Amino acid sequence: MNQTLKGRTVIITGITDASSLALIIAKECKDQGAKLICTGLGKTPFHKNLSENSINFLDRTYSDFQNTVKQELGKDVVTFPLDVTIQESIDSFADFLLEKKETIHSLLHSIAMDKTIRQGKVKPIMTVSREEFMDAMNVSSFSLLAIVQSLYNRNLLSKGASIVALSYLGAEKVVIHPYKNIGVAKAALERLVKEMAMELGKEKEIQVNAIRFSPYRASKAGSAIEGLEEAEIHCHTSAPLGNALAKDLAEEVCYLFRPSNRITGEIRHVDGGYHIRG
């Protein structure tokens, strides 16, 4: 068995169910020897004035997350509720790690949200409100910086740590299916990756990269995007190697999580080569 990540602690964000890309990546990390710490959306002491529906949603979401982690990754995996829209929640997670004397070697950012995608429909960009735009930016882009800042300020990130954010070709191009508002947020995420790679690399040899993956409908997020089934078929037939598999993505993330590989500031593609098409 390949134990490249043995002795290394990896934070995995974004697990929702057994089909989520974050879970598949977590499995590969564990297979390669990593110790996992997984975060999921759930109710925290910092949520205030919530409606009964909101409380039920957060409780149900976190319960599903915990059950998925226990069933798929094992009961020994540490889980923690995290809402990246609340700074106190992020800091509470970092304080928890500090209290446990954890040293973080790798972080997977697999968090995105766009309220302009509802019931399989994507709003035209010219109808997106300021609130919708900023919400997508906050969750899908700024959350990367907010989490890393909180870990960095507590000296939780090891020298030579590796951070990987999941992105998509829609951050750069108008893709075959509507991506619109979330595409703008992902573009900001990729720009953040490069700035963070420069600063963190100079200061602590920390690597920061992003990966664009093939269209993927199996996850809860993917199934909500309009036209993704058609895009999945189109990309599979058009790409030189067809669509990449979730396993391919997981192996690439683990490759970037290896110590001292001197790869940083990259926007890598795991999409069967689809990105080379005009």
Side-chain angles (χ1 to χ4, degrees), residues 156-181:
L156 288 163
L157 293 169
S158 70
K159 183 178 180 180
S162 176
I163 299 162
V164 173
L166 299 189
S167 190
Y168 185 59
L169 187 61
E172 178 186 349
K173 300 179 179 181
V174 177
V175 287
I176 189 170
H177 64 91
Y179 204 60
K180 301 187 184 291
N181 192 49

Side-chain angles (χ1 to χ4, degrees), residues 79-225:
T79 58
F80 198 90
L82 177 66
D83 187 332
V84 295
T85 67
I86 303 173
Q87 187 61 45
E88 292 89 347
S89 176
I90 296 173
D91 291 340
S92 174
F93 174 54
D95 288 337
F96 166 79
L97 298 174
L98 189 63
E99 182 181 340
K100 296 294 184 182
K101 296 182 170 56
E102 297 285 0
T103 297
I104 305 304
H105 300 94
S106 299
L107 165 68
L108 175 73
H109 182 274
S110 180
I111 301 172
M113 185 276 293
D114 183 9
K115 292 180 180 178
T116 71
I117 302 173
R118 284 288 182 268
Q119 298 179 330
K121 296 295 180 183
V122 180
K123 287 179 66 172
I125 199 71
M126 291 302 295
T127 67
V128 174
S129 69
R130 182 185 298 271
E131 180 182 7
E132 290 168 335
F133 183 89
M134 297 308 296
D135 282 346
M137 280 286 186
N138 189 19
V139 176
S140 308
S141 180
F142 183 75
S143 62
L144 171 65
L145 181 58
I147 293 170
V148 174
Q149 283 175 336
S150 197
L151 299 176
Y152 183 83
N153 290 340
R154 289 163 177 78
N155 201 30
L156 288 163
L157 293 169
S158 70
K159 183 178 180 180
S162 176
I163 299 162
V164 173
L166 299 189
S167 190
Y168 185 59
L169 187 61
E172 178 186 349
K173 300 179 179 181
V174 177
V175 287
I176 189 170
H177 64 91
Y179 204 60
K180 301 187 184 291
N181 192 49
I182 189 66
V184 178
K186 288 291 189 181
L189 176 74
E190 292 185 2
R191 190 67 184 85
L192 262 178
V193 161
K194 294 180 180 181
E195 290 293 344
M196 292 169 67
M198 176 58 74
E199 290 190 11
L200 293 174
K202 288 288 188 182
E203 293 171 16
K204 210 170 179 180
E205 298 178 18
I206 293 173
Q207 304 157 195
V208 191
N209 296 285
I211 302 177
R212 296 172 177 174
F213 184 51
S214 294
Y216 182 72
R217 283 188 299 126
S219 69
K220 187 177 294 185
S223 64
I225 298 176

Side-chain angles (χ1 to χ4, degrees), residues 5 21-29 32 166 211 213 245-257 270:
L5 301 181
L21 290 171
L23 178 68
I24 295 166
I25 293 166
K27 283 183 175 180
E28 185 66 26
C29 289
Q32 294 196 23
L166 299 189
I211 302 177
F213 184 51
L245 304 176
K247 174 75 170 175
D248 301 326
L249 174 64
E251 290 176 350
E252 178 70 1
V253 171
C254 288
Y255 177 79
L256 291 173
F257 279 172
V270 180

